[in-house]
Amino acid sequence: MSKEIIRTTCPRDCYDSCGIAVIKRDGAVRKVLGDPDHPVSRGALCGKCALAYNGSWRDPAQRLSSPLRRAGPKGEGRFEAISWDRALEEIAGRLNGVLRDLGPAAILQAHYTGTCTQIAGSFPLRFFNRLGATEVDPDSICNNAGHAALGYLYGTSVHGFDPKTARDSACILVWGANPSASAPHAHKHWLPEAPATKIVVDPIRHETAAAADLHLQLFPGSDAALAFALLHVMARDGLLDLDYLERHTTGWDEVEPLLAGCTPAWGEQVTGVPRDLIERAARVYAEGPSLLWLGQGLQRQPLGGNIMRACGLLPAATGNLGKPGCGIYYLNGAGPRRIRGDRLAGAQLRAVPEASISHMDLADHLADPARAGAFFCWNMNVAASAPRQAELLTALAREDLFTVAVDLFQTDTADYADIVLPAASFLEFDDLMVPYFNLLLSAQVKVMEPPGDALPNQEIFRRLSRAMGFEEPELYETDQALLDGLLADSGLGIDFAALSEAGTIDPWDVPRITFADGRFRTPSGRIEIASAAAEADGHPRVPQPLSDPRPEGGRLRLLSPASKWLMNDSYGNEPKVRAQLAEVGVTLHPEDAARLGVGDGDRVELSNELGGLLMTARVSDEVPEGVALSHKGRWLKHEAQGGNVNLLNPGRRTDMGESSAVHGVEVMARLAL
Ligand SMILES: Nc1nc2c(c(=O)[nH]1)N[C@H]1C(S)=C(S)[C@@H](COP(=O)(O)OP(=O)(O)OC[C@H]3O[C@@H](n4cnc5c(=O)[nH]c(N)nc54)[C@H](O)[C@@H]3O)O[C@H]1N2
Ligand SMILES: Nc1nc2c(c(=O)[nH]1)N[C@H]1C(S)=C(S)[C@@H](COP(=O)(O)OP(=O)(O)OC[C@H]3O[C@@H](n4cnc5c(=O)[nH]c(N)nc54)[C@H](O)[C@@H]3O)O[C@H]1N2
Ligand code: SF4
Ligand SMILES: [Mo]
């Protein structure tokens, strides 16, 4: 028997970007494992990927393997296999009809991070730019409030700290992220191995919070108030870095007067965090060197932008920037790796002005025949992940809306498509991965053939371009040329063959220090605590010590963050993952449970103006009183009620960035008999 081990990379939307070792025997893939030599995965995948990559993702019976045409009512999921030629011909015919009757803006396309590699994630945008289609703004479903807010303050949201600098940190503050679910290897290795004091700010006592030295369990949406209470203590006790503020920021004088009223006692009353914890956290963080990790859950709040601006003051006010062990992190773009992913999107192919809508408006647009004649959904499963689920499904059921879904699996969205196109998985083609936490560079390496007629995204969109008769050479650029170009830009002196051999490279053996030069990408070159750009966009000049009001009338704040067993809605179809998930559950605080007469294991109905959803109760003080927790990511077709938690999500938007305030949803709960 011949045994071969091939290194590759997990391209899911996950902070870890694990290195993978694929074991092949006699030419066939036997096992997909964590690469023991990879600095993050260290020989183990997370539980969900270990199941999915050795289960449904490699099972041709569970994958889409041929283009499909709808053969029953929309939503029912009846399809017949057709050839690529017929599928492409039909799509081109329908798109030309929409172009003629409604114009290009009535072709909508939604995509996100179903796969995060460079080419499969971005090359298809060339096709849509050439078409002149309307983009459903990808980040508006996830993290756009944070991008907008940090953009005002720092001029960037994608130049975070290098996690390697944690070896020099005395404090790591994780604020509104849950690494135990969303970054399992950072939770398991990076955090415990750092010598720092760990502080977690989160309404939920998740595993990372439980393992921390201090857990500040605040009420959702009260984070800006907490940040101001921390700053109050720092100002009061002389812990601010006035020299740093003077040299590198503008507008601190406009924040200072706001601090007076933000005492720890006030902070306790507004946020629910005991005042002595506020005092301790302020001291530990200010003394530093400190890292601040701002999570994505944090900004999915109605005032999420203000929250991010307020929390973003902490490193500026304490000088915890530009030195070893210091920094702020939201996401890392390519940064010093200098991969120019923007080149893949082909903005120059666009002959009409850019058009985009927020995910919060998707249901409205799709419901309107004048604004939506065709809809493409790729790298995404909007039926499960988007708000206003019932309205969205009604819109997707419109007979005169021509829908194309591109996926590996027959998702809930695919059930509403007219044509389904089968995509190849990350095991089936080469690509490049730029991890968004660690400053590594990784190869995605082909280890097997796709099932049946499935193709990588990029090849699907080349074929669509050809079917449309488009002639621009950029639409047909080969993977090899794209990979060569991206790696040449990086200046790291490595080609794809060498990168594949290594799996992952770490280009720097010492930690990179972000903002070491004290220059920021704002108009003034300083950290703009007071921002004219924010003001021009209708926001206050400086962040405000605001908090959401507590829900009234017995309502609960419903949080639906990442589940450790799902990757967004991916794996919601994996049988072994579904066995772990069991029935849909909701965690309630003992006081709320007692008030409602609900015990562990009882059925409760959560409801609001959009409808109701039955769940199995779990009673625990892991959540604060007034908060209900139910994780995102279940597939509608596997739920008894045909919907998931987004049935209750009204699509409220954040104060900045037209983004999702999904953690601001309110519900009533009652014992279901
Ligand atoms: N209630 C609630 N809802 C939420 C959130 C929340 O916190 N609460 N979070 C939101 C967030 S942060 C996000 S990012 C969104 C995510 O929501 P989605 O982006 O819709 O996430 P997935 O359902 O995982 O969709 C990814 C799809 O891409 C497919 N895919 C994987 N690889 C490929 C490929 O190579 N090619 C193609 N064509 N398809 C591929 C997968 O099979 C999967 O169906 O959900 C949002 N929805
Ligand atoms: N296992 C797994 N991993 C994932 C994903 C997944 O679905 N499953 N999704 C991926 C994607 S697309 C994303 S965007 C990231 C998201 O990963 P994270 O950045 O960790 O964000 P979330 O899971 O949405 O929420 C993180 C925490 O925010 C908390 N939170 C909610 N509201 C508030 C608030 O008002 N204040 C504070 N301080 N905290 C609050 C929640 O309680 C939760 O513990 O994870 C990625 N990784
Ligand atoms: S989803 Fe994240 S933790 Fe799981 S294998 Fe992929 S990169 Fe690693
Ligand atoms: Mo996300």
Side-chain angles (χ1 to χ4, degrees), residues 13 112 142 296 300:
D13 188 343
Y112 206 45
C142 177
Q296 316 213 356
R300 282 182 210 130

Side-chain angles (χ1 to χ4, degrees), residues 13 112-113 138-139 141-143 296 299-300 436 568 632:
D13 188 343
Y112 206 45
T113 49
D139 287 340
I141 196 68
C142 177
N143 54 20
Q296 316 213 356
Q299 48 86 61
R300 282 182 210 130
Y436 61 70
N568 297 320
K632 66 171 161 179

Side-chain angles (χ1 to χ4, degrees), residues 373-595:
F375 176 52
F376 270 83
C377 186
W378 56 285
N379 281 0
M380 195 164 197
N381 176 10
V382 292
S385 60
R388 302 168 61 187
Q389 194 164 78
E391 283 171 274
L392 181 65
L393 296 185
T394 304
L396 284 171
R398 251 182 64 205
E399 263 310 311
D400 56 343
L401 176 71
F402 177 67
T403 296
V404 178
V406 188
D407 208 293
L408 277 60
F409 298 101
Q410 186 66 32
T411 63
D412 292 306
T413 307
D415 281 351
Y416 285 83
D418 295 278
I419 301 281
V420 178
L421 300 177
S425 87
F426 75 105
L427 295 169
E428 297 151 9
F429 62 98
D430 291 343
D431 210 330
L432 187 66
M433 184 70 189
V434 182
Y436 61 70
F437 186 60
N438 294 290
L439 297 179
L440 306 170
L441 189 64
S442 303
Q444 171 181 301
V445 179
K446 178 173 178 172
V447 297
M448 59 190 281
E449 292 301 325
D453 291 336
L455 293 170
N457 284 353
Q458 49 269 39
E459 182 54 24
I460 292 176
F461 284 89
R462 287 188 197 105
R463 290 188 182 197
L464 281 164
S465 291
R466 206 166 288 124
M468 291 298 289
F470 295 156
E471 289 177 348
E472 292 77 358
E474 297 100 304
L475 297 167
Y476 305 101
E477 207 172 340
T478 64
D479 287 5
Q480 192 59 55
L482 293 164
L483 290 169
D484 289 347
L486 289 168
L487 285 171
D489 286 343
S490 81
L492 292 169
I494 190 162
D495 65 10
F496 190 73
L499 185 62
S500 306
E501 191 62 33
T504 286
I505 58 161
D506 182 347
W508 303 282
D509 44 10
V510 291
R512 306 281 304 189
I513 305 300
T514 312
F515 303 132
D517 60 0
R519 302 269 319 149
F520 297 88
R521 286 152 207 261
T522 54
S524 64
R526 291 164 165 250
I527 300 169
E528 297 197 344
I529 292 170
S531 164
E535 198 173 31
D537 291 343
H539 307 298
R541 270 173 64 77
V542 296
Q544 300 293 314
L546 299 172
S547 170
D548 292 342
R550 301 285 173 103
E552 287 170 1
R555 291 199 303 273
L556 302 172
R557 186 83 164 226
L558 174 63
L559 302 185
S560 52
S563 152
K564 75 189 270 186
W565 286 107
L566 294 165
M567 169 45 64
N568 297 320
D569 304 271
S570 298
Y571 310 160
N573 60 329
E574 162 56 49
K576 289 189 172 148
V577 165
R578 285 175 55 206
Q580 293 292 338
L581 291 174
E583 279 180 276
V584 55
V586 59
T587 307
L588 299 172
H589 187 272
E591 293 289 336
D592 291 318
R595 176 173 58 80

